[in-house]
């Protein structure tokens, strides 16, 4: 009987462990949209990368989008950060941080004052209500 209980406990632990690993390895989708229309009709230059991947430089017109997908690593340290540049401004933002972002569809809009994520869970209309300021340590105003 003790052998059966021990095996049942081991099986349950294995099931819990494999479930958490499967969730960690689900593909994540990130979309970035240029919403700089408030500052005029401005193109947005985006450059996203992680420790392992450089996704290259993209130039987005107003309402233009850039999308990428990836699978987070097993140890929950996956992070993608992007630089954003438009006339007179250069900003940085952590567009995905596995320790903080649990979204599988991470849709972002870039505004002059902040970056806002689509809130799937709390807004039935899918509004971009989760807004975050630019990274403080890397915010720069470019002098022309």
């Amino acid at each position: 009987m003790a052998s059966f209980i021990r095996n049942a406990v081991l099986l349950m632990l294995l099931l819990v462990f494999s479930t958490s690993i499967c969730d960690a390895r689900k593909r994540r989708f990130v979309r970035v949209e240029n919403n700089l229309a408030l500052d005029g009709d401005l193109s947005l230059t985006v450059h996203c990368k992680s420790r392992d991947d450089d996704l290259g430089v993209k130039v987005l017109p107003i309402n233009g989008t850039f999308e990428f997908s990836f699978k987070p690593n097993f140890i929950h340290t996956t992070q993608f950060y992007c630089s954003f540049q438009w006339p007179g401004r250069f900003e940085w933002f952590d567009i995905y941080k596995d320790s903080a972002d649990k979204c599988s569809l991470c849709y972002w809009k870039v505004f002059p004052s902040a970056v806002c994520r689509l809130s799937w869970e709390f807004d039935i209309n899918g509004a971009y209500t989760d807004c975050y300021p630019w990274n403080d340590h890397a915010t720069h105003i470019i002098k022309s």
Side-chain angles (χ1 to χ4, degrees), residues 1 9 22 53 67 70 74-75 77 82 87 91-92 94 96 123 134-135:
M1 182 67 167
V9 168
C22 289
D53 299 303
E67 299 180 7
F70 61 94
F74 289 112
I75 55 175
T77 59
C82 300
E91 305 286 355
W92 288 89
D94 298 321
Y96 182 86
D123 192 323
W134 298 106
N135 286 10

Side-chain angles (χ1 to χ4, degrees):
M1 182 67 167
S3 167
F4 173 76
I5 292 174
R6 185 189 63 194
N7 288 341
V9 168
L10 286 174
L11 182 61
M12 288 187 58
L13 287 173
L14 181 62
L15 181 63
V16 167
F17 180 71
S18 66
T19 301
S20 66
I21 285 177
C22 289
D23 182 55
R25 297 293 295 163
K26 283 184 183 176
R27 185 165 286 282
R28 305 295 198 256
F29 297 89
V30 176
R31 176 187 295 161
V32 177
E33 181 178 328
N34 176 359
N35 266 54
L36 295 177
L38 299 175
D39 258 9
D41 192 9
L42 301 176
S43 292
L44 176 66
T45 301
V46 181
H47 186 190
C48 297
K49 56 172 95 174
S50 71
R51 187 180 61 153
D52 301 319
D53 299 303
D54 185 335
L55 304 177
V57 176
K58 312 291 183 212
V59 178
L60 307 180
I62 290 295
N63 299 322
T65 61
F66 164 59
E67 299 180 7
F68 64 96
S69 66
F70 61 94
K71 287 186 179 182
N73 63 31
F74 289 112
I75 55 175
H76 303 288
T77 59
T78 302
Q79 179 177 351
F80 279 89
Y81 54 94
C82 300
S83 68
F84 300 91
Q85 186 173 357
W86 64 96
R89 295 284 294 272
F90 185 84
E91 305 286 355
W92 288 89
F93 186 74
D94 298 321
I95 208 77
Y96 182 86
K97 236 175 148 171
D98 200 51
S99 60
D101 294 312
K102 299 303 174 194
C103 54
S104 57
L105 296 173
C106 307
Y107 292 176
W108 295 91
K109 286 191 178 187
V110 176
F111 296 95
S113 60
V115 180
C116 299
R117 185 175 59 203
L118 179 64
S119 177
W120 298 99
E121 293 85 11
F122 304 111
D123 192 323
I124 203 159
N125 298 320
Y128 286 78
T129 55
D130 298 337
C131 294
Y132 304 90
W134 298 106
N135 286 10
D136 287 336
H137 65 278
T139 301
H140 306 285
I141 302 295
I142 299 172
K143 301 201 182 203
S144 303

